[in-house]
Amino acid sequence: MNNKSSLLLLLGGLFLVLFLTAASPTEINNNGQHCYALIAPIEEGSNGSSRVIKAECFDNFADSIYAATNGRVQLNSSIQPEAVTNEALNSSNGVGLLSSQVVIGIDWDSANFSGSSYTWVVSGSGCSSSTQYSVSSMPSGWDNRVSSARGYSNCNYFNHYQNTNYGGSSVICNTECASMGSLDNATSSEKWTYTP
């Protein structure tokens, strides 16, 4: 094979790789240990599940929270996730909460609020008697993984379900579950609600 043919074959292969890469669907980077998802409230007629608007993953908890809250919350990188309070995550810091993303829940893959985390955020002020949120299936890499959880922003009922679409056994965390009991590493769907 001459050099011209080899060069054409190499360019053709490179073009094919670039084409296939560009044509493949974009996936969320799930390589980080700490992820977040921005979700919408449950809309009437939406089969009872919130729409995921955006999701990203990071190598550390502080970076994940910074991105999840659009830069409103800047945690010290030395803070342990179990030490983060509702006030730290959802204080206004001079920014109106109605125009911000607030944390409604965090799942951890180890007991006592440790290990990798998945943070759930919403635009506005969280749960109310007329606003609730849910995910009918867990994000990639988080099915049957949750070992502890906390609810925030008035979402005082953080429900974890064994099956997708809110089926099977359930655990209600109220504002927190240091462990998931019978649902340890067995959560497949979740709901956040407010009950006075």
Side-chain angles (χ1 to χ4, degrees):
M1 192 180 282
N2 65 31
N3 286 342
K4 188 175 181 180
S5 296
S6 295
L7 182 59
L8 286 174
L9 186 58
L10 179 64
L11 288 174
L14 183 59
F15 176 75
L16 179 62
V17 168
L18 290 173
F19 174 77
L20 291 175
T21 302
S24 65
T26 303
E27 291 188 15
I28 296 167
N29 173 10
N30 282 328
N31 294 332
Q33 297 178 7
H34 301 280
C35 303
Y36 82 90
L38 171 63
I39 60 175
I42 299 172
E43 295 177 4
E44 200 170 314
S46 69
N47 78 359
S49 187
S50 296
R51 180 176 53 91
V52 175
I53 299 167
K54 180 180 181 180
E56 283 186 280
C57 294
F58 297 86
D59 290 330
N60 68 65
F61 184 70
D63 287 347
S64 175
I65 294 299
Y66 182 82
T69 61
N70 279 334
R72 181 179 46 80
V73 177
Q74 299 179 32
L75 299 175
N76 184 313
S77 60
S78 66
I79 194 166
Q80 297 299 310
E82 66 271 14
V84 176
T85 64
N86 188 60
E87 292 75 25
L89 291 176
N90 294 318
S91 65
S92 66
N93 291 334
V95 178
L97 283 179
L98 290 177
S99 62
S100 299
Q101 291 174 190
V102 297
V103 176
I104 61 166
I106 303 177
D107 290 310
W108 284 273
D109 72 350
S110 297
N112 297 310
F113 323 109
S114 61
S116 296
S117 65
Y118 206 98
T119 300
W120 302 93
V121 294
V122 301
S123 293
S125 58
C127 294
S128 69
S129 56
S130 61
T131 305
Q132 58 184 328
Y133 304 87
S134 67
V135 286
S136 58
S137 62
M138 295 298 284
S140 175
W142 278 86
D143 189 39
N144 297 321
R145 184 172 173 184
V146 177
S147 290
S148 58
R150 277 191 174 143
Y152 302 92
S153 300
N154 228 22
C155 298
N156 62 351
Y157 281 82
F158 186 3
N159 303 284
H160 292 70
Y161 297 89
Q162 179 182 19
N163 300 330
T164 59
N165 298 309
Y166 326 109
S169 300
S170 65
V171 169
I172 299 173
C173 285
N174 293 3
T175 55
E176 70 176 48
C177 286
S179 66
M180 300 303 295
S182 63
L183 280 190
D184 185 40
N185 294 316
T187 295
S188 292
S189 56
E190 297 180 336
K191 287 184 181 180
W192 297 262
T193 61
Y194 167 73
T195 302

